Amino acid sequence: IMNMARCLHPRSAIERLYISRDEGGRGLLNVTEMHDRISVGLAMYTCNSDSKFMESVKEHELAKWSGTRLKDCITTLERYGIEATIMEGGSILVNGENMKAKKVCGLIRKTAKANRIEALRRKDVHGQFWEVIETKNASNLGKAEVRFELRTL
């Protein structure tokens, strides 16, 4: 859609769209990642809540749907490279520990960001940006100096 509206070049790096502006990206939000975080967070909240209402929702989920949402949660986490398992009572263990929903959502965000940056670094043309930043030790320079360094290349 952005190509048709001439907002993005057809050969531009898509990964860079979803990296924050502070790190050299465009700062857009990835809707797929947001959906994954919300659905995993809801499944984790349902599993780990002490509320009687959420307990009945979890029982209904396990009895009627045979844990479909929990299985979807596991496959979503595996897609991001996060190890997760469903325990006997319907709770979800992430990386071997029982985590809160907010921590798991943060883990998804952190993993997705690292995957995007790594994919960009592997590209021939688009990966040069980070090489310049690292070789010039631009993280210690001011913003004006970084702009000057990038323009001179």
Side-chain angles (χ1 to χ4, degrees), residues 88-143:
E88 182 84 22
S91 63
I92 299 175
L93 290 181
V94 178
N95 292 336
E97 61 183 270
N98 197 359
M99 292 186 185
K100 297 257 184 210
K102 192 171 186 177
K103 190 172 181 182
V104 174
C105 292
L107 188 61
I108 289 174
R109 176 181 283 148
K110 182 179 168 185
T111 306
K113 179 177 145 186
N115 290 343
R116 273 192 229 99
I117 290 175
E118 184 59 34
L120 266 174
R121 286 183 183 211
R122 280 186 265 134
K123 292 188 174 186
D124 293 334
V125 175
H126 301 289
Q128 292 178 6
F129 174 78
W130 278 274
E131 288 179 23
V132 168
I133 296 294
E134 289 173 357
T135 57
K136 300 291 183 178
N137 199 9
S139 60
N140 295 333
L141 299 174
K143 288 185 178 181

Side-chain angles (χ1 to χ4, degrees), residues 38-48 69-70 72-73 90 92 101:
I38 290 170
S39 62
V40 166
L42 184 62
M44 296 290 294
Y45 176 73
T46 305
C47 292
N48 298 333
R69 293 192 200 284
L70 299 178
D72 288 344
C73 175
I92 299 175

Side-chain angles (χ1 to χ4, degrees), residues 3-150:
N3 288 339
M4 291 187 291
R6 298 188 186 268
C7 295
L8 183 70
H9 194 273
R11 293 185 182 167
S12 180
I14 301 300
E15 295 89 357
R16 190 169 167 233
L17 284 175
Y18 305 117
I19 296 174
S20 69
R21 287 181 177 263
D22 294 340
E23 297 172 351
R26 298 281 180 101
L28 294 178
L29 298 176
N30 190 341
V31 177
T32 308
E33 180 189 328
M34 285 176 51
H35 171 268
D36 291 343
R37 286 195 326 251
I38 290 170
S39 62
V40 166
L42 184 62
M44 296 290 294
Y45 176 73
T46 305
C47 292
N48 298 333
S49 180
D50 295 333
S51 167
K52 296 287 183 187
F53 177 71
M54 284 297 143
E55 197 65 37
S56 65
V57 169
K58 182 169 71 171
E59 289 173 9
H60 177 74
E61 167 72 21
L62 291 173
K64 185 167 183 174
W65 299 103
S66 61
T68 306
R69 293 192 200 284
L70 299 178
K71 292 174 188 171
D72 288 344
C73 175
I74 298 297
T75 56
T76 301
L77 289 172
E78 287 175 353
R79 191 170 61 233
Y80 287 99
I82 301 169
E83 181 184 333
T85 55
I86 301 174
M87 297 305 290
E88 182 84 22
S91 63
I92 299 175
L93 290 181
V94 178
N95 292 336
E97 61 183 270
N98 197 359
M99 292 186 185
K100 297 257 184 210
K102 192 171 186 177
K103 190 172 181 182
V104 174
C105 292
L107 188 61
I108 289 174
R109 176 181 283 148
K110 182 179 168 185
T111 306
K113 179 177 145 186
N115 290 343
R116 273 192 229 99
I117 290 175
E118 184 59 34
L120 266 174
R121 286 183 183 211
R122 280 186 265 134
K123 292 188 174 186
D124 293 334
V125 175
H126 301 289
Q128 292 178 6
F129 174 78
W130 278 274
E131 288 179 23
V132 168
I133 296 294
E134 289 173 357
T135 57
K136 300 291 183 178
N137 199 9
S139 60
N140 295 333
L141 299 174
K143 288 185 178 181
E145 293 177 47
V146 172
R147 284 191 205 120
F148 176 74
E149 291 286 334
L150 292 175

